[in-house]
Amino acid sequence: MDTMHSASLVKIEQLSRSTRLFRFEVGEELVFTPGQFYRLTFRDGDGDFERSYSFGQLNLDSSQRYFDLVISEVSGGRATALLFNAEPGLLVRLRGPFGRLVLPEGEHRQLFLVATSVGLAPFLPILSELETHRHDAFESVHLLLGVRDESEFIFKDELLQLRSRADWFDLTVCYSREKQVHGPWTSLGYVTSALTTFDLEPNEDFFLVCGNPHMIDDVYRELRALKFGPRRVIREKYVFAVQEKTAVKGELSSKDQALLQRKMAQYTQQIITED
Ligand SMILES: Cc1cc2nc3c(=O)[nH]c(=O)nc-3n(C[C@H](O)[C@H](O)[C@H](O)COP(=O)(O)OP(=O)(O)OC[C@H]3O[C@@H](n4cnc5c(N)ncnc54)[C@H](O)[C@@H]3O)c2cc1C
């Protein structure tokens, strides 16, 4: 059920150079299944606008009256401008929950959680849910996290602690721009290369994949080639709001079209440069 709620910003924490955690307090308990997202309505000088964000609280407790967002700065972004200059007390409205990126029913062999950057956010409550209730449903759980370098490895302490206390949990952090590994949990290259090091079974393993749309397409292509069906690879692309709008409404204003074309040209150029 999709109901409107209000929330107030109570805490901001810098997680890396470009990423912050925003904690919001709510008056009532918000329903969500770990892995889902809400649509937040913000207000700035030009009026109201909406953006989607995964709930990224690491500790699940039904009595909690807060939710955490893990947000990466986007240059020129409207929500970025508002949030990265916000003070505690900022009010937002939100509706949800939405999304199919949740733990599967039943038992499976290996569960893979694959993310780039802030695509890690929905996996934080999922890991909490696994630890407290659900890890027995899988022989093992593997988190594959793609980041550019060590400085972007957010929630490092928490993930390494989980790795040392949970024998069902395995972590691989893939650095695309580091020259050397930083520990037994690290690997050089993209998450797609790390995937090929696992013994995968298309009828028994299950994938949840979240973050950069290009990474998701690459991972999905690899898995399809290994005969994984779409029901075993649940994907959530962090598309830009203007693309999300197109997906929902199927149309764009000419202003949005011009903005999208301009930004996609810049973004494609940036990817080519980075590669
Ligand atoms: C289901 C879902 C869940 C999401 N969850 C999260 C989350 O947990 N954390 C999070 O940080 N984000 C998340 N996002 C992305 C988020 O909704 C916003 O798109 C993002 O924060 C940028 O918003 P903005 O208003 O700052 O930028 P916008 O004003 O929307 O964008 C400014 C311009 O930059 C371009 N642009 C936008 N994003 C990028 C980018 N990443 N790289 C290059 N160019 C870009 C756009 O084309 C646009 O023209 C999610 C998206 C979806 C669809």
Side-chain angles (χ1 to χ4, degrees):
M1 245 270 276
D2 169 4
T3 319
M4 196 57 112
H5 305 270
S6 330
S8 164
L9 180 62
V10 291
K11 183 176 135 183
I12 305 163
E13 190 183 328
Q14 193 83 34
L15 299 176
S16 75
R17 194 179 47 79
S18 61
T19 305
R20 290 184 191 171
L21 179 144
F22 297 88
R23 174 163 293 175
F24 287 87
E25 232 168 46
V26 272
E28 66 280 311
E29 190 188 325
L30 287 186
V31 178
F32 93 111
T33 304
Q36 288 189 305
F37 68 93
Y38 267 68
R39 293 205 170 103
L40 275 78
T41 304
F42 303 104
R43 176 167 293 174
D44 64 10
D46 292 328
D48 288 356
F49 64 101
E50 214 177 52
R51 295 289 182 268
S52 300
Y53 291 104
S54 303
F55 274 9
Q57 48 270 45
L58 189 58
N59 297 307
L60 285 177
D61 171 356
S62 58
S63 62
Q64 278 171 0
R65 294 281 188 264
Y66 70 81
F67 60 89
D68 288 340
L69 308 182
V70 179
I71 302 186
S72 181
E73 230 173 310
V74 168
S75 162
R78 194 170 169 189
T80 300
L82 185 82
L83 284 167
F84 282 72
N85 291 301
E87 299 286 342
L90 173 80
L91 293 177
V92 299
R93 284 174 294 139
L94 68 163
R95 61 193 177 88
F98 301 104
R100 298 183 310 115
L101 190 86
V102 297
L103 287 172
E105 297 288 326
E107 301 198 345
H108 304 267
R109 195 176 76 122
Q110 305 179 96
L111 171 67
F112 288 87
L113 310 174
V114 186
T116 42
S117 178
V118 282
L120 175 65
F123 296 144
L124 299 171
I126 283 181
L127 287 170
S128 174
E129 170 81 349
L130 282 164
E131 185 164 36
T132 47
H133 302 298
R134 292 288 313 280
H135 68 85
D136 283 349
F138 308 94
E139 282 179 22
S140 56
V141 176
H142 305 266
L143 172 63
L144 270 62
L145 173 63
V147 291
R148 282 188 289 196
D149 55 39
E150 174 76 1
S151 71
E152 289 189 355
F153 180 10
I154 53 174
F155 293 97
K156 179 178 177 179
D157 292 347
E158 293 82 353
L159 292 172
L160 290 181
Q161 280 162 18
L162 179 62
R163 179 179 176 270
S164 51
R165 72 174 177 265
D167 59 1
W168 49 268
F169 176 65
D170 175 47
L171 170 72
T172 307
V173 181
C174 305
Y175 296 115
S176 60
R177 291 198 185 166
E178 291 278 0
K179 296 269 182 296
Q180 59 188 47
V181 293
H182 287 257
W185 61 87
T186 59
S187 136
L188 300 181
Y190 294 113
V191 285
T192 28
S193 330
L195 259 190
T196 57
T197 64
F198 290 90
D199 162 32
L200 299 175
E201 175 43 67
N203 297 315
E204 296 179 18
D205 297 337
F206 200 96
F207 276 81
L208 299 177
V209 193
C210 184
N212 178 310
H214 296 282
M215 175 281 284
I216 293 182
D217 289 342
D218 288 348
V219 167
Y220 190 53
R221 202 174 305 113
E222 289 274 338
L223 293 174
R224 291 294 282 165
L226 293 170
K227 306 275 184 272
F228 274 83
R231 292 201 184 139
R232 287 197 164 266
V233 188
I234 308 301
R235 291 154 288 152
E236 185 153 278
K237 294 183 176 179
Y238 278 2
V239 289
F240 317 146
V242 69
Q243 294 169 307
E244 213 184 334
K245 204 166 26 164
T246 325
V248 175
K249 292 194 179 148
E251 58 185 29
L252 276 180
S253 70
S254 53
K255 197 173 153 210
D256 278 347
Q257 272 177 16
L259 180 66
L260 179 60
Q261 274 173 7
R262 208 168 58 242
K263 287 291 177 178
M264 285 315 287
Q266 280 172 359
Y267 185 47
T268 310
Q269 183 57 45
Q270 186 187 340
I271 290 170
I272 292 167
T273 315
E274 284 177 359
D275 283 351

